[in-house]
């Protein structure tokens, strides 16, 4: 059953056609963002489907991971080792605006789906390739998983806090998801450039470059001034840690002198203002470990809810540390209308997070469930296989 029959795509990318040959998270999340914004995304899958279709946390034969990264798309099944299927794919690409793939470097070219081959079919095509470590170089051929990117990018060391601490993974697949956001932004930038030039272009993006660039904004200060690099790296984050208090945990962010003064007032500890280690932002950062230890000692015996009220009244940036369930039910997210619910034909009632950006002039209210494997093959591929160009196959 075609869940998208009679459904009009809406949003700023309505009318843009995307051919999606990506799998797992970074590529599918990228193309789902485009679909959420109105693009017609045709997901091309193998006979066994995207790997994430088979992951745990399932209902009605569907994994939550696949559902959460593939809504608003159409799915077709093609065997790219068969000439007629490859021909049908190229016919789709000839009519498309965007082509996205995250094969291992070199595979797309071997299949005849590299940029040079496809631009002869469609000079206006935006050809996006996503790789793990890069497209050339010693690590380019390696299999890629999110923890490996975290390791090579030094994200694990940043998460540890210093070079001397044991490296730690971020407990979410940040490189994958960050790459998805970067890829979707790059595609829309290329589409904007095409509106001016009339020509498509090749866009390449690696997960490693994405994370390295992301870290540089706040975590690579010690490597910014050439010739004055830090010999031993300590945490460069301006974010304080989580504090253990009675009844739970809180986050307190002391950025400015007025925040430190407000903390002293709210907790009844004016003596900390006379400590030379904390007299200004520079000294508080230099003596970061001592500051964090002292702050933890100050708040350890205070009730969480009372502390939060006192800190907020004093003007200290603070927030409760929420569980996933608490976050989902928090009144701020309810006010933002961050989550929405809808019915999937076989997986039942679903709850998902909406696209973060709200387009007030070109609203996107697309609520189509992730497709069944090959759900749209008959409607999209079969007519192409019957054309004279496809050899009547």
């Amino acid at each position: 059953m075609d869940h998208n029959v009679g459904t009009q795509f809406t949003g700023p990318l309505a009318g843009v056609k995307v051919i999606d040959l990506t799998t797992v998270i970074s590529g599918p999340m990228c193309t789902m963002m485009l679909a959420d914004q109105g693009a017609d995304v045709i997901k091309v899958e193998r006979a066994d489907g995207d790997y994430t279709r088979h992951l745990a946390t399932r209902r009605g034969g569907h994994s939550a991971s696949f559902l959460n990264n593939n809504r608003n798309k159409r799915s077709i099944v093609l065997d790219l080792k068969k000439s007629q299927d490859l021909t049908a794919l190229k016919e789709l690409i000839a009519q498309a605006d965007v082509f996205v793939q995250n094969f291992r470097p070199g595979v797309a070219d071997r299949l005849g789906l590299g940029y040079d081959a496809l631009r002869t079919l469609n000079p206006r095509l935006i050809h996006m390739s996503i790789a793990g470590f890069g497209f050339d170089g010693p690590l380019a051929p390696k299999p890629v998983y999110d923890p490996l990117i975290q390791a090579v990018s030094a994200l694990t060391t940043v998460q540890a806090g210093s070079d001397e601490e044991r490296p730690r993974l971020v407990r979410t697949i940040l490189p994958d998801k960050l790459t998805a956001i970067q890829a979707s932004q790059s595609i829309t930038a290329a589409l904007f450039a095409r509106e001016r030039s009339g020509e498509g272009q090749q866009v390449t993006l690696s997960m490693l470059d994405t994370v390295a660039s992301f870290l540089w904004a706040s975590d690579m200060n010690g490597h910014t001034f050439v010739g004055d690099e830090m010999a031993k790296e300590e945490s460069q984050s301006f974010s304080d840690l989580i504090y253990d208090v009675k009844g739970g945990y809180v986050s307190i962010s002391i950025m400015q002198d007025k925040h430190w003064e407000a903390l002293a007032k709210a907790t009844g500890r004016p003596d900390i203002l006379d400590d030379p280690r904390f007299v200004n932002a520079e000294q508080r950062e230099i003596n970061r470990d001592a500051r964090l230890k002292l702050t933890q000692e100050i708040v350890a015996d205070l009730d969480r809810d009372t502390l939060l009220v006192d800190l907020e009244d004093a003007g200290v940036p603070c927030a409760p540390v929420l569980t996933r369930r608490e976050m989902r039910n928090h009144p701020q997210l309810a006010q933002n209308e961050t989550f929405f619910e809808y019915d999937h034909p076989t997986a039942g009632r679903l709850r998902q997070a909406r696209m973060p950006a709200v387009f007030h002039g070109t609203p996107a209210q697309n609520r189509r469930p992730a497709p069944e494997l090959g759900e749209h093959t008959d409607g999209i591929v079969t007519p192409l296989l019957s054309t004279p160009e496809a050899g009547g196959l």
Side-chain angles (χ1 to χ4, degrees), residues 114-188:
Y115 175 67
D116 290 336
L118 295 187
R119 71 175 175 177
T120 62
L121 292 176
N122 185 350
R124 288 175 53 82
L125 185 70
I126 306 302
H127 188 289
M128 163 62 80
S129 297
I130 301 172
F133 293 109
F135 297 88
D136 297 293
L139 299 182
K142 287 177 63 68
V144 178
Y145 295 97
D146 193 275
L148 307 184
I149 299 296
Q150 291 199 37
V152 176
S153 69
L155 177 57
T156 50
T157 302
V158 171
Q159 187 71 4
S162 74
D163 290 351
E164 295 179 343
E165 297 294 327
R166 188 183 191 279
R168 299 183 181 186
L169 288 171
V170 177
R171 293 292 180 176
T172 185
I173 51 173
L174 186 145
D176 266 299
K177 294 187 283 189
L178 187 62
T179 300
I181 295 170
Q182 184 66 60
S184 64
Q185 187 278 328
S186 301
I187 289 169
T188 53

Side-chain angles (χ1 to χ4, degrees), residues 44-50 53-54 76-80 82 85 373-374:
V44 181
E45 301 186 69
R46 304 184 311 181
D48 56 350
D50 189 320
R53 286 186 181 272
H54 310 291
I76 63 175
V77 170
L78 291 176
D79 182 350
L80 300 185
K82 295 181 178 179
D85 283 16
L373 177 61

Side-chain angles (χ1 to χ4, degrees), residues 32 36 64-72 337-342 350-355 367-370:
M32 187 183 75
D36 282 354
S65 178
F66 184 83
L67 294 172
N68 288 335
N69 290 284
N70 290 280
R71 65 172 175 249
N72 292 324
E337 298 181 343
T338 304
F339 309 114
F340 65 94
E341 296 183 8
Y342 65 112
L350 302 181
R351 178 189 298 109
Q352 294 180 328
R354 64 167 170 80
M355 174 181 59
R367 297 288 187 267
R368 286 153 292 182

Side-chain angles (χ1 to χ4, degrees), residues 59 68 71 87 124 163 212 285 319 323 378 387:
R59 189 169 72 186
N68 288 335
R71 65 172 175 249
T87 297
R124 288 175 53 82
D163 290 351
E285 188 59 26
T323 65
D378 289 343
T387 62

